[in-house]
Amino acid sequence: MNAIRPARLRGVLAPVVTPFHRNLDVDVDAFAVHCRWLVENGAGLAIFGTNSEANSLSAGERIDATDALIAAGIPAAMMMPGTGTSSITDTVMLTRHAVQSGASGALMLPPFFYKNLSDEGLLAYYSEVIERVGDARLQLYLYHIPALSGAPISLNLIEQLLKRYPDTLAGVKDSSGDWANTKAMIDRFATEGLDIFPASEALLSNALPIGGAGCISATVNVNPAGIVRVHERWNQPDGGALQEQATAVRKIFQSLQMIAAMKHVIADWKGSKDWRIVRPPLTPFGEQAGQKLMADLQAIGFGMADGRVRAS
Amino acid sequence: MNAIRPARLRGVLAPVVTPFHRNLDVDVDAFAVHCRWLVENGAGLAIFGTNSEANSLSAGERIDATDALIAAGIPAAMMMPGTGTSSITDTVMLTRHAVQSGASGALMLPPFFYKNLSDEGLLAYYSEVIERVGDARLQLYLYHIPALSGAPISLNLIEQLLKRYPDTLAGVKDSSGDWANTKAMIDRFATEGLDIFPASEALLSNALPIGGAGCISATVNVNPAGIVRVHERWNQPDGGALQEQATAVRKIFQSLQMIAAMKHVIADWKGSKDWRIVRPPLTPFGEQAGQKLMADLQAIGFGMADGRVRAS
């Protein structure tokens, strides 16, 4: 088969926060509105990431929500859905659905229940998933987030997978928070064609000059245009100032429960308290903490208008 | 509704290892044979536990396998299926199916992707699951395995859940490996009617005198009768010797990759290499390591006949 691979998504992507109804079902209408706003502001859609509460959803819920987004006109080519679960069966089903829906790629957590896994075991796992999906269109991004997955994606594992599946392995998201690790990934694999994404816009000005692909960052949910500007202009005269502005916003969220905090802010901007809803075991942001957060953002002059595209 | 609650399973339970075909599907025939052997040797069936590779299965695969066991004549009343996943949706579906199938209870992992969860969040999670299952027959066992789940079940959480759902909360499995913690759980909650199970038979002679309910232990898969004898005779003249024998077997497995090791031994006993199959990311036991394991067991005089009921 001579399948046409989708164009790669590079630049700035949001792990899109997932809005819920009061009965905890996915609010697909609000989800589509938020995705559309992100795309209009230049961001790609890493739906079903850590900040999307994806692991609190069933595989069926993820598939239904993806279908609903596409039906609402959100372009599949702008999507890089998270498809990695602890179950190989669900992971294969989700990845296959992503590819068949026309998504640009699949961002795949390692299986995250067992700990102290060997590279051999993870290589066998990812290989089995790729073989079972069995679709030359698959563009696979590995997801390194050891603090939550407990299963680090080592340089050795990346190298072995790249050797085995050079046309399928497309990149890595590095949520280690360790710049030395991100840099090592970029140094070693960017020239071999892998797109390495750090998980924070604060690293854009470090990553882009040495060949990083952009960033996949939680706070893109609230500051897409501000972060896209950094990506576009980091090497221009105003690049340093743009980076500083984006990093200042990031810092406010970074010390908080990010998901609840971002949902609180979006709820405030939209005047819809339902946007605050998270699925347990997460807990919503409290009123007081929320007021402080809004005040902190105001103090640095950041509001909804700064997150979105402005007339230039 | 005045539902009749199932009788509680106490004593010795196996987190039943799950046999797979070469295509990694659950081998339901081999699964039923192993479950029957365990029940005949006096053990209860904590199917879909950590040692069952349950988190490598989809919810649908677990439901189908449960149905197949029941169809094969394995009594549902001997089952305490693991039903906790990282997704609240799947957890509710699995728990409801367990209750409706007549299982004795449900052993529920906390959601295990997010870390640093608050007791408030876990209380909200378990409460939401109980309310959604909405069945007075549910007997819920909490699963404390912080090294793998990253979400500890604190004494405070148990107390709050017991206060809120005194007829539903039935017990705790403590896989912390910390006897002080198990003892604290027994001391505080056994007299309030909770069944506390340590995760190793090595602790039976410590736990039973102070009110522990038995054990739910991986090695019950290979030594059911030996462990059941400890449970029955710990306070008899030969109790100390029986405990020593069971603990000696346990110790051989404890330092190994338990799942692959147990499957290797069962495969050897049954003369069926397919029993060695594990789902990736786990890796099967190597030939050499397997030969050493079989030799180590032989050296302490332990074989398949010792695991099963002997003519007395």
Side-chain angles (χ1 to χ4, degrees):
Chain A
M1 190 169 86
N2 208 341
I4 294 169
R5 290 197 189 85
R8 285 210 191 157
L9 264 181
R10 306 181 96 239
V12 172
L13 286 85
V16 186
V17 286
T18 309
F20 297 114
H21 291 292
R22 287 174 201 190
N23 70 359
L24 300 184
D25 284 350
V26 176
D27 182 341
V28 290
D29 295 331
F31 196 19
V33 168
H34 186 54
C35 284
R36 191 171 296 114
W37 181 75
L38 290 167
V39 170
E40 285 171 355
N41 284 285
L45 305 171
I47 53 173
F48 307 129
T50 296
N51 285 280
S52 316
E53 299 169 75
N55 296 116
S56 300
L57 306 177
S58 69
E61 288 179 304
R62 295 201 213 187
I63 286 175
D64 290 348
T66 306
D67 291 346
L69 289 181
I70 293 171
I74 308 299
M78 290 300 285
M79 297 180 189
M80 187 194 289
T83 64
T85 72
S86 62
S87 145
I88 193 169
T89 328
D90 283 339
T91 300
V92 169
M93 180 169 68
L94 288 170
T95 306
R96 194 178 282 144
H97 182 263
V99 172
Q100 291 174 350
S101 300
S104 166
L107 178 54
M108 204 178 293
L109 275 169
F112 50 82
F113 182 69
Y114 295 105
K115 303 296 185 276
N116 303 315
L117 298 169
S118 63
D119 275 4
E120 181 196 353
L122 287 171
L123 180 66
Y125 176 88
Y126 279 116
S127 299
E128 185 73 29
V129 171
I130 291 168
E131 298 291 343
R132 285 178 182 233
V133 172
D135 194 315
R137 293 170 296 181
L138 172 60
Q139 294 290 281
L140 174 64
Y141 296 82
L142 304 172
Y143 189 0
H144 178 55
I145 182 166
L148 295 190
S149 71
I153 307 293
S154 70
L155 299 182
N156 171 54
L157 174 63
I158 298 169
E159 185 164 304
Q160 292 191 57
L161 264 174
L162 185 60
K163 197 180 295 173
R164 197 178 283 186
Y165 300 104
D167 297 329
T168 300
L169 190 63
V172 184
K173 176 182 180 189
D174 181 9
S175 294
S176 66
D178 173 6
W179 167 246
N181 188 67
T182 309
K183 182 173 185 306
M185 285 183 173
I186 296 172
D187 286 346
R188 188 138 155 204
F189 297 113
T191 53
E192 298 201 48
L194 293 192
D195 289 340
I196 310 295
F197 295 88
S200 168
E201 61 273 25
L203 296 171
L204 275 176
S205 297
N206 296 35
L208 294 172
I210 62 170
C215 70
I216 304 175
S217 168
T219 27
V220 175
N221 276 289
V222 291
N223 190 22
I227 297 169
V228 167
R229 278 196 298 272
V230 180
H231 180 254
E232 289 169 347
R233 303 187 56 79
W234 63 274
N235 57 357
Q236 301 299 310
D238 60 347
L242 291 169
Q243 175 73 73
E244 267 179 44
Q245 285 166 24
T247 300
V249 177
R250 171 81 188 181
K251 276 191 178 154
I252 287 177
F253 286 93
Q254 192 135 15
S255 60
L256 305 173
Q257 299 283 347
M258 294 267 272
I259 299 170
M262 291 189 299
K263 284 188 158 182
H264 186 96
V265 169
I266 295 170
D268 186 271
W269 286 351
K270 291 185 181 285
S272 156
K273 282 202 176 175
D274 282 4
W275 248 106
R276 294 184 185 175
I277 298 168
V278 292
R279 280 196 174 185
L282 300 187
T283 49
F285 224 58
E287 281 300 339
Q288 275 200 310
Q291 283 171 17
K292 180 176 183 318
L293 170 56
M294 297 313 296
D296 286 348
L297 292 173
Q298 205 168 20
I300 62 163
F302 180 78
M304 190 181 183
D306 302 290
R308 67 173 187 239
V309 170
R310 290 185 288 195
S312 55
Chain B
M1 191 169 86
N2 207 340
I4 294 170
R5 289 196 189 86
R8 285 211 192 157
L9 265 181
R10 305 180 96 239
V12 172
L13 286 86
V16 186
V17 287
T18 309
F20 296 114
H21 291 294
R22 284 173 204 190
N23 70 359
L24 300 184
D25 284 349
V26 177
D27 182 341
V28 291
D29 295 331
F31 196 18
V33 168
H34 186 53
C35 285
R36 190 172 296 113
W37 181 75
L38 290 167
V39 169
E40 286 171 356
N41 284 285
L45 305 171
I47 53 173
F48 307 128
T50 296
N51 285 281
S52 315
E53 299 170 74
N55 295 115
S56 300
L57 306 176
S58 69
E61 287 180 303
R62 296 201 212 187
I63 286 175
D64 291 348
T66 307
D67 291 345
L69 289 181
I70 293 171
I74 307 300
M78 291 300 285
M79 297 179 189
M80 185 194 288
T83 64
T85 72
S86 61
S87 145
I88 193 168
T89 328
D90 283 339
T91 300
V92 168
M93 180 168 70
L94 288 170
T95 306
R96 194 178 282 145
H97 182 262
V99 173
Q100 291 174 351
S101 300
S104 167
L107 178 55
M108 203 178 292
L109 275 169
F112 50 82
F113 182 69
Y114 295 105
K115 303 297 183 277
N116 303 314
L117 298 169
S118 63
D119 275 4
E120 179 196 355
L122 287 171
L123 180 66
Y125 176 88
Y126 278 116
S127 299
E128 185 74 29
V129 171
I130 292 168
E131 299 290 344
R132 284 178 182 234
V133 172
D135 194 315
R137 294 170 295 181
L138 172 60
Q139 295 289 281
L140 175 64
Y141 297 82
L142 303 171
Y143 190 0
H144 178 57
I145 183 166
L148 295 190
S149 71
I153 308 293
S154 71
L155 298 181
N156 170 55
L157 174 63
I158 298 169
E159 186 165 303
Q160 292 191 56
L161 264 174
L162 185 60
K163 197 180 295 175
R164 197 178 282 187
Y165 299 104
D167 298 329
T168 301
L169 190 63
V172 184
K173 177 183 180 190
D174 181 10
S175 294
S176 67
D178 173 6
W179 167 246
N181 187 68
T182 308
K183 184 174 182 305
M185 284 183 174
I186 296 172
D187 286 346
R188 186 137 156 204
F189 297 112
T191 55
E192 298 201 48
L194 293 192
D195 289 342
I196 310 295
F197 295 88
S200 168
E201 61 274 25
L203 295 171
L204 275 176
S205 296
N206 296 36
L208 295 172
I210 62 169
C215 69
I216 305 175
S217 167
T219 27
V220 175
N221 276 290
V222 291
N223 190 22
I227 297 170
V228 167
R229 279 197 295 275
V230 180
H231 181 253
E232 288 169 348
R233 302 188 55 81
W234 63 275
N235 57 356
Q236 300 300 309
D238 59 349
L242 292 169
Q243 175 73 74
E244 266 179 45
Q245 286 166 25
T247 301
V249 177
R250 171 81 189 182
K251 276 192 178 154
I252 288 177
F253 286 93
Q254 192 135 17
S255 60
L256 305 173
Q257 298 283 348
M258 294 268 270
I259 299 170
M262 292 189 298
K263 284 188 158 182
H264 187 96
V265 170
I266 295 170
D268 186 90
W269 287 351
K270 291 187 182 284
S272 156
K273 282 200 177 176
D274 283 3
W275 247 107
R276 294 184 186 177
I277 298 168
V278 292
R279 279 196 174 184
L282 300 188
T283 48
F285 224 58
E287 279 301 338
Q288 274 199 309
Q291 283 172 17
K292 180 176 184 318
L293 170 57
M294 297 313 296
D296 286 348
L297 291 173
Q298 205 169 21
I300 62 163
F302 180 79
M304 189 183 182
D306 302 288
R308 66 172 187 238
V309 170
R310 290 184 288 194
S312 56

